[in-house]
Each structure stands twice: as structure tokens, then as C-alpha cells.
Amino acid sequence: MTTEITRKYVLALDQGTTSSRAIILNHDGTVVASAQKPFEQLFPRPGWVEHDPSEIWYTQSSVAAEAVAKADLTGLDIACIGITNQRETTIVWDRETSLPIYNAIVWQDHRTAAYCEQLKQAGKTETIRKKTGLIPDAYFSATKIKWILDNVEGARERAAKGKLCFGTVDSWLVWKFTRGRVHVTDASNASRTMLFNIHTLEWDKELLALFDIPESMLPEVRDSSEIYCDTATTLFSTKIPISGIAGDQQAALFGQLCTEPGMVKTTYGTGCFMMTNTGDKPVVSKNNLLTTVAWRIAGRATYALEGSVFVGGAVVQWLRDALHVVGSSAETEKLAVSVPDNGGVYFVPALTGLGAPYWDQYARGTIVGITRGTTAAHLARAALEGVAYEVYDIMGAMAGDVGVLSKEMRVDGGAVANDFLMQFQADICRGEVLRPVVLESTAMGAAFLAGLAVGYWRNIADLQKIWKLDRAFGPSIPEEKAEKLLHDWHRAVKRSEGWVEES
């Protein structure tokens, strides 16, 4: 299909952990309009994190309409829609009524941590890793689906009769945009469920049996760039093809045009996520990283290695909202540069456990080195440095798995506007940190995938012309100083590990 020439824009929907966003881009990759709405974070018990699926839909559909109105456009001007989403977050709904049977269980939720430990003790780790590239962890969707089926009255019986649907957030949005006519996901999102065999590119029957999940609940797995359906809601004045889907981190990798093996991007959002393109073969990590599908185009999968920091920008939110150390996120940079160093303070932001390469769900946030001379500025600086250290640890693990990484790291996400953080990241990683002009890499990736499917852009070469550099950060401190900082950081990490004792 070739796009009608009158349709001059692409609409990217970026459904994130704390807000829903919509961005309209033109053929040059320029953002012509955007809209964003936050939604409520629900914490029913310690370690539990939920969202209202209806609020996800309401906020996402409303910002889509708002962005189109802001740009003074109609649906007739939109060539296609690309969707990118918070991954692993799990929604189960009734196939007939389209009503969720429980709140969305968010990727950050740890209610199934004990069950994951049981899986490890039962010797299931290698089976899961070999098939899915993942490790048994509460992070992924499979144990969340099982929990809903086990704990919502009547859910197992309804699922056995084919009356329930499971979806990550992309599937839920497509279902709502098509009024329940289309139940699909793409390979990148499927690869984050712990139910998808990344080698056969199919749902794995052995894993479905292990978690006691009926296959009838699962969406059809499609390419990341293809026409899935047209919209069927009254939100737009005309039907618009939905033609691109990717999980947020894979979308950011594509949006940063890391299309060659060895290229690296890191997204600094609520968490921090580093990915490297490993080409057409999945690389099994020896350093506790995840092997994942980056995208699938024309039936061919591209793979990636990923390391996840659970708390990235969220540590700044915590300083602002819980401790009131700063009044806004931007103040952390001013505080950080107001002192010459961290004053010996190290902040391990393991507020929801440690992700890669540690994978310690019993670790907790730790601040060490506090003295009478410690100030709010030292605390803010230590928090930002802690994020950079965590990214460094992932990069080291990644280099150990693939051998040679690019000396450049492309970055995106809200926190990359913080020049101190980016400079410190370059100092610690001893390489170049490249910040693009357009920081909306996640939305750009969804737009690129959607646009390629309808012929809005012809090929990757077309897209390469769009990516432009804003600033490159290189190392500015002696290597010996960086090594000393890292030495003390790793001492602090040791003190945070395994803090929560199993009851």
C-alpha cells in the first residue's frame, strides 16, 4: 500500500508508565504537535503497582484527538498510526464486554516475586532462558497473568472457555481502537511476556502449560511494521491504518536508528534501559542481561541485548515528591553542579530492587557516606550519579557478552536534558554520549515503523536523513578518578543487596 499524497502526517501514540502521549510528525521527522496526560498510579499494597486500563484508554485516546486538533488537522491528514507502549504491563479483559476483569498489573509490580523464586528452585531458569531470553522474574507478564487467573473469582473458568483476552498495553489499545475486532501484538512485545519462544517466534506450549495459561487468551503475533487494521472508533473523521507496534525500548532503539549490530542506545525514563542491536541472531547473555526481539519486519527478526535499571528518572521524582529536596526535576542539575563533588555520598536507587546485571529483587535503596557536612546538593548529585553508575554496570555486562560495542551511546528520554547527568555518564563510561535534536525517540520509532508499512518512508536510508545530533558529551575527568568513583559505587551496591529478608 502506498499512502495517499494528501495524508501528510504520522500519529505516534506513546503509552508510558506514568502518562499517555500523542505526537504528530511530518515527513522530515519534525514534531508538529503533541499532547500528554498523566494518569493515576495505584499502590494497593507494598510492592504492588497497578493502573486502571480504562484510564489508560481514556488518556491515550484523548491525547490523540488533542494532538490532531492542536495541529489543526483531521483524520484525513493522518497517513497511519504507530503504537509504542510500556512493556510487560498485563491486562486481562472479557472478550464479549471488553471490560477488564482486574486492574493492569504494571511491570514494576513485585507481587509474584516469591513464585518466581519457586520457579528458580524448581530448576526452571534455564528452560525459560533458552526459550525466551529472559529469566524468571516478577517483571514479566506470565506470572502476572497467572496471578490474575488464580486470584480473580471465576477467571480460570472463563479463560478455559475462551472468554478472556490477555494483552500488553499495545494489544489493549488496538482492541479498543477497533472496538474489539482485532486482538494482536507484535514480536517485540510478545518477547517480553516469558511465554514467547524467540527462536521459533511463536507462543511456547511448554511455557503456557508451566504457567497454566490457555493459548486462547493470547493475541496473534505480527510484524512490528505492517498494516494490522484500520481504526473503527468515532475518534477520527476517517479510518486510519494502525501499522506499527513496538515495545517502548525497542521502539527507541529503532527511533535512534540503531539498525546495525553493535549500536547502543539508552533511554532515561522512569527506569533506564540500554539496548544493543545484535543482528539476526539472539545472543545468550552470560552476564544476566536479557535477550529480546528488537523488531520483526517482513517476517525477519532483529534481536537485541537489554539491561534494565528499574529506577532512573523515578529517583528524581522521589527526591521531589517524597523528600521535597527539590521543587522540580530541573533543580537537581542546579544542585548537582553547585558542589564540586558528591562529598563521599553514594546513592544506590534500588527503590524497587536492582535490575541488570544484579537481578536482586530483595535489594533496597541505600544512601551511604552521609556526614554532618552532607547537604541537599550532595544528595541530589549522588542520586544523578547513581543512575549513571547503574548504566555503566549494564554497559560492562553488555560488552562482556558481545565483545565489541560501539564507542558511541545514543541517548533519549526526559532525563537526557540534564547536562550534568549526560556529562557524568560520558566521564564514567569513557565514551561519547550522543544526544539527538529530537528526544522523542520512542515515539519516533513507532512512527518510523508505521510509516514504512504504508510507504510514507521508503526505507531505512530515508530515515537516516532524519536523525540529527544536538550535542556530543565526551570524557572530561581523568580515568583514575573515574575508577575510584566506580570502586566506591560498587562498595555501596554490596550494602544494598539482599536487604529484604524472605519471611
Side-chain angles (χ1 to χ4, degrees):
M1 172 181 175
T2 300
T3 301
E4 297 174 39
I5 192 122
T6 54
R7 297 194 174 198
K8 299 177 181 178
Y9 303 93
V10 174
L11 173 60
L13 305 181
D14 183 356
Q15 204 300 301
T17 306
T18 58
S19 70
S20 296
R21 306 177 67 232
I23 296 170
I24 296 175
L25 301 102
N26 67 15
H27 196 266
D28 296 328
T30 302
V31 176
V32 298
S34 65
Q36 181 170 3
K37 274 195 173 119
F39 54 87
E40 189 175 5
Q41 307 294 301
L42 306 171
F43 306 100
R45 296 187 192 176
W48 291 27
V49 190
E50 296 178 0
H51 294 154
D52 178 351
S54 297
E55 192 178 10
I56 288 176
W57 163 242
Y58 163 72
T59 55
Q60 189 63 77
S61 58
S62 64
V63 293
E66 183 182 343
V68 171
K70 274 186 177 179
D72 196 22
L73 305 175
T74 72
L76 290 168
D77 300 302
I78 306 299
C80 55
I81 295 173
I83 295 174
T84 183
N85 55 285
Q86 53 166 317
R87 304 168 305 169
E88 298 94 23
T89 293
T90 297
I91 305 173
V92 176
W93 64 91
D94 185 282
R95 190 179 293 276
E96 293 180 1
T97 66
S98 296
L99 294 175
I101 68 168
Y102 190 79
N103 276 338
I105 302 181
V106 180
W107 59 273
Q108 298 163 315
D109 189 282
H110 278 186
R111 76 187 66 188
T112 60
Y115 174 63
C116 291
E117 288 302 314
Q118 292 173 20
L119 289 172
K120 292 174 185 176
Q121 291 167 13
K124 301 299 183 183
T125 298
E126 279 312 301
T127 296
I128 290 171
R129 189 195 296 271
K130 285 178 182 177
K131 288 173 176 284
T132 69
L134 312 176
I135 62 171
D137 195 88
Y139 183 21
F140 307 110
S141 308
T143 63
K144 303 179 194 297
I145 303 169
K146 175 177 168 56
W147 188 94
I148 291 173
L149 294 179
D150 288 344
N151 288 275
V152 175
E153 186 176 355
R156 280 220 166 270
E157 292 76 12
R158 291 161 70 189
K161 294 176 181 177
K163 293 184 176 182
L164 297 184
C165 294
F166 151 74
T168 42
V169 173
D170 59 302
S171 297
W172 171 241
L173 292 177
V174 172
W175 181 272
K176 295 296 284 183
F177 269 113
T178 60
R179 294 177 175 246
R181 297 173 192 170
V182 179
H183 187 206
V184 297
T185 189
D186 88 300
S188 73
N189 277 293
S191 73
R192 310 298 296 190
T193 60
M194 213 157 64
L195 297 171
F196 187 70
N197 190 311
I198 62 173
H199 307 282
T200 64
L201 300 176
E202 295 175 339
W203 298 118
D204 192 277
K205 295 187 185 303
E206 182 182 356
L207 294 177
L208 289 170
L210 174 64
F211 294 106
D212 197 12
I213 296 170
E215 190 168 0
S216 62
M217 292 181 68
L218 305 182
E220 180 186 358
V221 182
R222 306 274 287 273
D223 281 356
S224 307
S225 178
E226 68 169 281
I227 300 169
Y228 314 105
C229 54
D230 288 337
T231 56
T233 66
T234 56
L235 196 63
F236 305 109
S237 58
T238 184
K239 294 179 179 179
I240 303 172
I242 299 173
S243 55
I245 297 174
D248 51 11
Q249 302 315 314
Q250 290 97 324
L253 189 71
F254 198 79
Q256 289 276 29
L257 295 174
C258 294
T259 55
E260 297 297 325
M263 295 184 74
V264 180
K265 76 87 198 172
T266 302
T267 298
Y268 297 75
T270 302
C272 287
F273 301 87
M274 179 183 287
M275 272 192 168
T276 185
N277 183 326
T278 63
D280 60 3
K281 292 184 174 57
V283 173
V284 178
S285 176
K286 299 174 183 176
N287 294 294
N288 290 325
L289 301 180
L290 306 177
T291 306
T292 196
V293 176
W295 49 77
R296 193 176 80 188
I297 298 176
R300 296 183 61 183
T302 294
Y303 295 90
L305 274 180
E306 176 178 343
S308 307
V309 171
F310 294 150
V311 176
V315 74
V316 175
Q317 295 171 348
W318 181 74
L319 288 176
R320 181 192 66 202
D321 300 336
L323 293 193
H324 306 291
V325 170
V326 292
S328 69
S329 299
E331 287 181 30
T332 56
E333 182 176 357
K334 293 178 183 176
L335 278 174
V337 298
S338 72
V339 289
D341 53 43
N342 61 18
V345 177
Y346 289 81
F347 187 162
V348 183
L351 306 184
T352 57
L354 283 170
Y358 303 101
W359 288 107
D360 184 349
Q361 55 198 359
Y362 299 109
R364 285 298 177 266
T366 305
I367 304 172
V368 299
I370 299 172
T371 67
R372 286 284 299 271
T374 300
T375 67
H378 292 116
L379 192 59
R381 183 170 179 132
L384 293 174
E385 289 181 354
V387 174
Y389 290 133
E390 288 186 300
V391 170
Y392 167 87
D393 285 342
I394 295 174
M395 179 169 273
M398 207 167 270
D401 282 332
V402 301
V404 179
L405 288 178
S406 168
K407 292 292 186 182
E408 301 175 347
M409 180 170 73
R410 298 188 176 191
V411 297
D412 55 75
V416 304
N418 188 310
D419 286 353
F420 170 80
L421 176 58
M422 294 298 97
Q423 182 57 60
F424 191 76
Q425 191 71 78
D427 289 338
I428 291 300
C429 290
R430 315 307 295 172
E432 279 203 307
V433 172
L434 304 183
R435 183 172 66 194
V437 171
V438 178
L439 298 180
E440 310 289 354
S441 298
T442 305
M444 293 283 276
F448 290 168
L449 289 165
L452 286 172
V454 300
Y456 185 80
W457 291 290
R458 292 172 300 172
N459 49 40
I460 299 293
D462 266 3
L463 300 177
Q464 295 286 1
K465 300 170 188 173
I466 294 173
W467 193 93
K468 293 180 177 62
L469 178 68
D470 168 49
R471 181 174 170 185
F473 297 84
S476 65
I477 64 173
E479 190 168 357
E480 306 79 54
K481 182 175 181 181
E483 289 175 355
K484 175 64 168 66
L485 289 167
L486 287 165
H487 172 76
D488 288 342
W489 156 254
H490 289 126
R491 290 172 61 212
V493 170
K494 288 293 181 188
R495 285 157 174 77
S496 76
E497 291 179 301
W499 178 257
V500 176
E501 295 181 342
E502 294 184 67
S503 57

